[in-house]
Amino acid sequence: MRARTAAFILSAVLVIYLGMCVWKGALAIYDGLHQGGAPAGLLGAGLLVFGFLGSWFLVREIQFGFATERLARQLDAQDLLGQEELDALPRSPGGRVDRAAADRLFERRKTETEAAPDDWRAWYRLAAAYSAAKDNSRARAAMRHAIRLRGDSQGLRQG
């Protein structure tokens, strides 16, 4: 629950920051139009673009997080989450997962996914194995694929 709370706090801070970017961008464009300052107008346009793009990315990340959480809850209810395998991986004194053990788990999950390529559950567990192996870009791609297969995207598109 701490991660979710931190995500909401950081999202709120980012919303304030992006709102200020849009506000300052609008003011800079106004100044550029009424006082003849082309650089101020261009800077304002850039701030507006930054504010709107940042908002779009934030919404997509929140949608991704909620969709991932829904899949995890469903797998947990079916007792198919496989979290106990991840928890049982050997760790260093600092808490990092042993890379060789994570790679072995990843190979098992990859084989499972290749055997059932249309099963969103297998893709979810593969994403968790990628994450344990510290391959975060592939973990996110596998999770997005699991979400698409499950049909639980709610606005998520391929990307």
Side-chain angles (χ1 to χ4, degrees), residues 8 11 48 70 82 89 102 107 116 118 134:
F8 280 126
S11 296
L48 282 176
R70 280 190 295 275
L89 290 174
E107 286 302 322
D118 294 330
K134 299 296 182 207

Side-chain angles (χ1 to χ4, degrees), residues 69-89:
E69 190 174 321
R70 280 190 295 275
L71 295 186
R73 278 195 309 262
Q74 186 170 356
L75 276 177
D76 193 35
Q78 297 172 355
D79 202 27
L80 296 172
L81 190 57
Q83 187 65 34
E84 59 280 348
E85 280 184 295
L86 291 173
D87 292 340
L89 290 174

Side-chain angles (χ1 to χ4, degrees), residues 111-126:
T111 302
E112 173 187 313
T113 304
E114 288 169 348
D118 294 330
D119 184 9
W120 67 268
R121 294 165 192 86
W123 281 96
Y124 182 96
R125 289 187 295 268
L126 178 65

